[in-house]
Amino acid sequence: MYYQPEIETMDHTDLEALQLKRLKESLVYCYERIDFYKKSFDEAGVSPDSIESLADIEKFPFTVKQDLRDHYPFGLWAVDKRDAVRVHASSGTTGQATVVGYTAHDLDVWADCLARDIASTGHDEHAIVQIAYGYGLFTGGLGADNGALKMKCLTIPMSSGNSQRQIQIMKDFESDVLCCTPSYALNLADKAIEMGYNPATDFPLSAGILGAEPCSENMRQEIEQKLGITVHDIYGLSEVIGPGVACECREQHGLHVAEDHFLIEIIDPETLKPVPDGEWGEVVLTSLDREASPIIRYRTRDISRILPGDCPCGITHRRMDRLQGRTDDMLIIRGVNVFPSQIEQVITQFDEVTSHYQIILSTIGTLDHVELQIETVPEFEFDEIKQVERLKKRIGDALKGNLQIKVDLKLVGPLTIARSEGKAKRVIDNREVKNAWEGN
Ligand code: DLL
C-alpha cells in the first residue's frame, strides 16, 4: 500500500534527477543563509556550483554533532526562530543538547514520510495507531503523531510510560499499530502477560513500527511472538528530521530511505570514502528540502549498508539494512570490537534467559572490567548451583565461539534490571577513564 504512489514508485533514474535538483537548491540555500556552511564550503574550496552529479557531494565537508553543539541553540538554523513553528532537541545527556527547527513545510514533509511508512506496513486511514514514544522535545512521539494524523488514522497519543494503562487502552480501543521503542514494546508485552492476557490472541494489534534503538533479530522475534504482530523497523535522528528517514515495509527486509527528501551515503569511517553498495559503513545524511534546519553530509555514527536490488513491495527508494550499532557504542573487549546488539543476539538464543541485560564497565586496578548481567526467566531455579554454573558456561562458550569475547557473566533474577519506557540503557559505564572505549 502506498501513500504517495507517484513518489514511492518513481523510476529510480527520475528519483536521482529529483535528488540532484533538490541537492543543488539546498546547497545554495545553506550557503546563502547559514554562516557555518558558507565558511566551511569556502574553507574546503567548494561552492554550490561544484555539484554536477550526486557523486559530487563527496567534495563537500561533513557536519558532525559537535558543530550543532557549538552553535547551540539556533546558530545552524536557516530561518529566524520566530518564523519556525516547532523545535525539537536531543536530550543532551552526553553533552550540550542539539536543537533542530521545523517550518510548517518541514512538518508537512515529515508527516508525509511517516504516513508513507504506515502505508508501507499495509495500513490505511482506518488503522488505529497507539503512539507510545515519548512526546515532547524527543522527536518520536510527535513525529509519529504527525504521520498518523496525516494518514487520517485514529491516533492515540499515549506517550511512553504508564504501562498498565497502555495495555488497557490497547485492548479497549482495539489498537492496530503500536509505535514505540522495541524494548518498550517488549515491556508492554510482558506487562500484558502479567495482567493475565495473552496479547498475541486477546488483542487485535497487528503491527509495531518500532525504532530509535538497536534490536537484535531474536528480540524482534520475541516481540512478534508475544504480541502477535509484525515488527517494522523505523530509523531516524533528530539532527536530520526525526523518525521516518527510513522504514521497513511489509516485506520486513531493509528500510526504504525517503530518498526524495534525504540523500544517503555510506562511508568508511576511517578513510571517509564511500563504500560500495552491500558493504557496511557509517551512514551520512544530507537533507534535500529542509527549511529551518537543513543539514549537509551529517555523520550519524550509525553503521548500516545499502541493500542492493529491488524490493517486491514496489517502493523504488533504496533500502538500508537494520543498524548494526553506532561507532561510539562499540566496545573493545580485550582487542575485540563488538556491539551490544551482537551480544544481545547471542544471549537471547538461550531459553533460560530473557532479553533484559546490561553491560557494566568498570575499572579494576588499572584494567577495564566488563560485567554482563542477564535476567533469567521466572521458571529458572537459582537453588540448583550446578544448573546455574552450567548455564553460565554455555552462554560464556557461545560468546567466546561467536564473538571471541570473554566477560564476567552474572545471572540475575526476574525484574532485577530496570525496564525502559523509551530507549533501553544497555551499557553502564563506571570506568574512571572512559575515552579508551569510544570510537573516533
Ligand atoms: O531516536 C528518532 C526516532 C524516534 C527514530 C522514533 C525512530 C523512532 P534521536 O533521539 O536523535 O532520534 O536518536 C537518533 O538513535 O542516530 C541511532 O543511533 C538511533 N536509532 C534511531 N533509530 C534506530 C533504529 C530518534 N531503527 C539515534 N535502530 C540514531 C537502531 C536507531 N538505532
Side-chain angles (χ1 to χ4, degrees):
M1 223 175 296
Y2 309 117
Y3 173 71
Q4 292 172 310
E6 67 293 352
I7 297 168
E8 288 164 88
T9 62
M10 198 173 201
D11 179 88
H12 207 268
T13 317
D14 296 339
L15 187 55
E16 283 171 25
L18 177 66
Q19 285 188 304
L20 184 58
K21 175 178 166 290
R22 289 187 172 169
L23 177 61
K24 285 179 176 171
E25 289 165 0
S26 194
L27 289 169
V28 172
Y29 183 81
C30 289
Y31 189 77
E32 288 178 350
R33 287 178 174 245
I34 305 173
D35 290 346
F36 165 80
Y37 283 116
K38 179 170 188 328
K39 194 160 165 270
S40 73
F41 292 4
D42 286 349
E43 275 171 13
V46 286
S47 86
D49 309 331
S50 315
I51 283 275
E52 274 164 28
S53 71
L54 289 175
D56 287 338
I57 189 70
E58 249 200 88
K59 299 177 185 162
F60 283 78
F62 294 105
T63 308
V64 294
K65 199 174 188 94
Q66 192 58 41
D67 295 324
L68 281 107
R69 289 185 175 145
D70 290 347
H71 294 84
Y72 173 88
F74 304 118
L76 286 192
W77 286 28
V79 299
D80 186 278
K81 60 181 177 299
R82 290 175 203 285
D83 294 329
V85 299
R86 170 74 67 72
V87 58
H88 282 284
S90 71
S91 61
T93 44
T94 55
Q96 181 77 273
T98 53
V99 181
V100 283
Y102 303 75
T103 61
H105 164 267
D106 294 333
L107 286 185
D108 210 36
V109 162
W110 191 18
D112 282 343
C113 292
L114 281 139
R116 284 184 208 167
D117 296 341
I118 294 171
S120 78
T121 66
H123 293 86
D124 61 15
E125 71 272 21
H126 302 300
I128 301 177
V129 181
Q130 179 162 343
I131 298 169
Y133 287 116
Y135 280 59
L137 287 177
F138 174 57
T139 51
L142 282 162
D145 191 296
N146 291 337
L149 284 180
K150 187 100 190 235
M151 187 54 156
K152 300 196 173 71
C153 297
L154 175 61
T155 307
I156 315 177
M158 291 299 296
S159 198
S160 60
N162 215 341
S163 304
Q164 197 159 341
R165 187 138 189 257
Q166 300 264 10
I167 302 299
Q168 204 58 53
I169 294 222
M170 190 182 287
K171 180 168 189 302
D172 297 345
F173 294 9
E174 302 185 339
S175 308
D176 298 304
V177 180
L178 174 66
C179 301
C180 64
T181 59
S183 56
Y184 193 48
L186 194 56
N187 293 350
L188 287 176
D190 289 340
K191 186 77 192 171
I193 295 164
E194 192 189 308
M195 286 164 71
Y197 296 115
N198 176 357
T201 50
D202 295 348
F203 301 169
L205 199 70
S206 60
I209 302 184
L210 312 182
E213 65 180 4
C215 175
S216 65
E217 180 55 32
N218 289 338
M219 179 161 156
R220 176 188 172 101
Q221 283 174 15
E222 189 181 346
I223 298 169
E224 291 195 325
Q225 279 157 15
K226 282 188 171 162
L227 286 175
I229 60 172
T230 52
V231 168
H232 305 268
D233 192 344
I234 184 165
Y235 169 72
L237 55 165
S238 34
E239 292 84 354
V240 174
I241 204 160
V245 171
C247 184
E248 245 174 11
C249 64
R250 59 181 156 78
E251 297 295 327
Q252 296 176 285
H253 184 62
L255 295 79
H256 290 282
V257 179
E259 289 195 280
D260 53 328
H261 299 302
F262 310 103
L263 181 68
I264 182 169
E265 298 170 78
I266 308 284
I267 61 161
D268 178 327
E270 301 287 325
T271 64
L272 306 182
K273 293 286 169 213
V275 300
D277 285 1
E279 272 184 31
W280 294 96
E282 181 178 341
V283 177
V284 172
L285 289 165
T286 297
S287 67
L288 296 174
D289 55 0
R290 289 290 308 272
E291 285 183 347
S293 293
I295 196 150
I296 308 294
R297 300 199 86 199
Y298 184 64
R299 285 192 63 182
T300 64
R301 295 187 174 243
D302 294 323
I303 304 293
S304 181
R305 60 179 174 175
I306 296 293
L307 292 175
D310 299 331
C311 181
C313 82
I315 297 176
T316 49
H317 296 225
R318 289 182 305 159
R319 289 163 298 168
M320 57 185 270
D321 208 341
R322 289 181 209 150
L323 255 55
Q324 202 177 52
R326 289 178 57 78
T327 51
D328 39 10
D329 277 352
M330 192 178 73
L331 306 170
I332 306 170
I333 302 181
R334 297 204 184 133
V336 180
N337 299 354
V338 59
F339 290 107
S341 56
Q342 292 174 292
I343 294 179
E344 181 180 299
Q345 179 65 11
V346 172
I347 61 182
T348 46
Q349 288 162 14
F350 291 85
D351 291 340
E352 295 91 336
V353 300
T354 66
S355 314
H356 302 291
Y357 70 98
Q358 219 154 36
I359 298 162
I360 299 158
L361 307 175
S362 58
T363 311
I364 296 187
T366 53
L367 294 177
D368 288 326
H369 178 256
V370 186
E371 179 178 304
L372 172 61
Q373 292 191 355
I374 318 175
E375 245 182 58
T376 58
V377 293
E379 309 80 61
F380 185 74
E381 296 281 353
F382 270 93
D383 304 341
E384 299 256 355
I385 303 289
K386 271 199 185 137
Q387 192 178 316
V388 175
E389 289 310 315
R390 231 179 289 139
L391 178 60
K392 277 173 70 172
K393 178 158 186 339
R394 280 167 55 221
I395 299 177
D397 287 349
L399 287 168
K400 194 142 204 332
N402 287 281
L403 304 173
Q404 287 76 49
I405 57 165
K406 201 165 172 295
V407 296
D408 178 8
L409 198 63
K410 289 234 159 46
L411 297 176
V412 296
L415 299 176
T416 312
I417 293 171
R419 299 294 187 259
S420 89
E421 295 175 346
K423 302 190 191 218
K425 189 149 180 54
R426 301 298 192 193
V427 180
I428 312 252
D429 194 346
N430 296 328
R431 285 167 309 135
E432 284 152 25
V433 183
K434 300 193 197 290
N435 50 3
W437 295 76
E438 283 165 9
N440 48 4

